[in-house]
């Protein structure tokens, strides 16, 4: 929290005082202005959050979509339907999980990988044609500073080898998201891509996935609003798109994706291989979903 409070002294308040009327935003795992599409897994919690947003903002243009981001067939089906019915200016990949035991989906995918990496890849890839139709399209992915201790490992994307550690797997997935963002930025020049670290916030995911950490740090964690600040800034501010596409942000500033001397850099061929493997995975489930 102290890091945010220090950084926020330099924030331009007007940056997020933006008229977003007519723009469409899609936010995954949005349980907790313009048209907002909430893509959530838990219908009850999602309905509650939708009601709170509508009451607090007065915005009635809130649409709710129930979707498991770890189910690739569902993502493809959702995206195809969404493209036929809606416009989209900004995609916010916020959904994520940290499963601390090795668990697999009904499709045989390790759950962290399925949600954090493959789910993010499929949803973004599927919606790129819709985004490209609009002016000033943006994609923001919520990553984590934990990725700084991980080097991209394409040899075991589903963490089937060795001892399973949920925290390490999560950090590896978050490194993968940074690579995805950098690769998308190179390939799609007319869309502004960014990835960000929200800081450690007092959020439900932290409480449930890291209970020991939460108990030790709960009095110093950021509020949820402080954690979301940079996401909002990246989604609506004109200042954000003055910076190059593909950068990693914290507290409205681009920051390094590698620590000094950490040896976490990957050769370009590994990063290209990640994209190739994810594309092969995604197409497999696309063909299944379409019969």
């Amino acid at each position: 929290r102290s890091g945010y409070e220090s950084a926020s002294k330099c924030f331009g308040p007007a940056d997020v005082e933006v008229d977003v009327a007519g723009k469409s935003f899609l936010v995954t795992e949005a349980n907790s202005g313009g048209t907002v599409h909430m893509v959530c897994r838990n219908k009850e919690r999602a309905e509650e959050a939708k009601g709170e947003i509508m009451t607090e903002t007065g915005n009635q243009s809130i649409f709710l979509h129930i979707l498991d981001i770890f189910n690739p067939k569902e993502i493809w089906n959702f995206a195809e339907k969404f493209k036929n019915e809606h416009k989209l200016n900004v995609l916010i990949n916020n959904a994520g999980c940290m499963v601390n035991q090795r668990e697999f989906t009904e499709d045989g995918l390790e759950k962290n990988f399925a949600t954090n990496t493959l789910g993010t890849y499929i949803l973004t890839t599927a919606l790129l044609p819709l985004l490209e139709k609009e002016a000033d399209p943006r994609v923001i992915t919520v990553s984590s500073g934990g990725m700084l201790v991980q080097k991209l490992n394409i040899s075991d994307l589903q963490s089937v080898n060795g001892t399973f550690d949920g925290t390490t797997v999560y950090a590896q997935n978050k490194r993968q998201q940074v690579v995805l963002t950098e690769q998308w930025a190179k390939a799609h020049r007319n869309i502004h891509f960014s990835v960000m670290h929200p800081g450690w916030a007092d959020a439900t995911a932290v409480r449930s996935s890291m209970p020991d950490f939460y108990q030790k740090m709960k009095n110093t964690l950021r509020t949820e609003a402080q954690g979301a600040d940079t996401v909002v800034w990246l989604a609506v501010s004109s200042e954000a798109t003055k910076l190059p596409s593909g950068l990693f942000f914290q507290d409205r500033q681009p920051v390094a994706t590698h620590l000094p001397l950490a040896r976490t850099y990957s050769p370009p061929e590994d990063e290209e291989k990640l994209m190739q493997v994810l594309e092969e995975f995604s197409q497999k489930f696309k063909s299944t979903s379409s019969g």
Side-chain angles (χ1 to χ4, degrees), residues 57-74:
T57 66
N59 184 2
Q60 302 301 303
S61 298
I62 309 292
F63 295 87
L64 181 58
H65 310 271
I66 303 303
L67 173 68
D68 274 326
I69 293 294
F70 63 68
N71 187 319
K73 293 188 287 290
E74 279 190 20

Side-chain angles (χ1 to χ4, degrees), residues 21 53 80 89 122 156 240 252 259 262 278 291:
I53 293 169
E80 291 305 312
N89 299 86
I122 293 177
D156 189 21
R252 304 192 188 184
L259 295 172
L278 292 178

Side-chain angles (χ1 to χ4, degrees), residues 19-87:
D19 182 1
V20 295
K23 288 198 172 185
S24 175
F25 300 78
L26 189 154
V27 187
T28 62
E29 202 57 33
N31 294 353
S32 33
T35 299
V36 177
H37 294 275
M38 301 169 57
V39 179
C40 305
R41 181 174 58 88
N42 185 303
K43 190 175 190 299
E44 183 178 346
R45 288 176 57 203
E47 290 282 8
E48 182 181 342
K50 176 183 175 181
E52 290 176 0
I53 293 169
M54 292 173 73
T55 299
E56 197 166 315
T57 66
N59 184 2
Q60 302 301 303
S61 298
I62 309 292
F63 295 87
L64 181 58
H65 310 271
I66 303 303
L67 173 68
D68 274 326
I69 293 294
F70 63 68
N71 187 319
K73 293 188 287 290
E74 279 190 20
I75 300 172
W76 275 119
N77 289 334
F78 161 77
E80 291 305 312
K81 186 172 186 289
F82 189 91
K83 284 190 292 186
N84 291 328
E85 298 177 355
H86 304 285
K87 60 175 284 188

Side-chain angles (χ1 to χ4, degrees), residues 94-237:
N94 177 61
C97 69
M98 185 192 294
V99 180
N100 288 312
Q101 305 296 324
R102 186 181 279 118
E103 296 180 18
F104 295 90
T105 70
E106 62 182 24
D107 295 305
L109 299 168
E110 191 276 316
K111 279 192 175 180
N112 292 290
F113 167 78
T115 303
N116 302 326
T117 302
L118 185 60
T120 298
Y121 178 86
I122 293 177
L123 184 63
T124 304
T125 300
L127 293 176
L128 285 176
L130 194 59
L131 286 159
E132 287 173 338
K133 294 179 180 179
E134 303 298 330
D136 190 23
R138 309 184 191 192
V139 176
I140 301 111
T141 299
V142 179
S143 183
S144 168
M147 67 89 194
L148 290 167
V149 300
Q150 287 290 309
K151 178 180 180 179
L152 179 66
N153 177 12
I154 60 169
S155 66
D156 189 21
L157 290 176
Q158 299 204 63
S159 308
V160 296
N161 300 322
T163 303
F164 186 91
D165 180 270
T167 303
T168 300
V169 172
Y170 178 81
Q172 174 65 209
N173 294 161
K174 294 301 175 177
R175 169 61 70 186
Q176 291 160 8
Q177 290 179 342
V178 169
V179 173
L180 287 179
T181 299
E182 293 170 344
Q183 294 295 310
W184 281 326
K186 293 177 185 176
H188 304 277
R189 302 285 185 174
N190 58 332
I191 299 176
H192 192 272
F193 292 88
S194 55
V195 62
M196 58 81 67
H197 174 42
W200 293 106
D202 190 352
T204 303
V206 174
R207 298 182 196 182
S208 60
S209 299
M210 308 176 70
D212 293 340
F213 171 83
Y214 174 75
Q215 286 302 320
K216 291 177 184 176
M217 304 297 291
K218 61 183 179 182
N219 293 325
T220 61
L221 295 175
R222 298 177 178 210
T223 66
E224 290 182 327
Q226 290 171 341
D229 176 82
T230 296
V231 177
V232 175
W233 182 81
L234 288 167
V236 304
S237 170

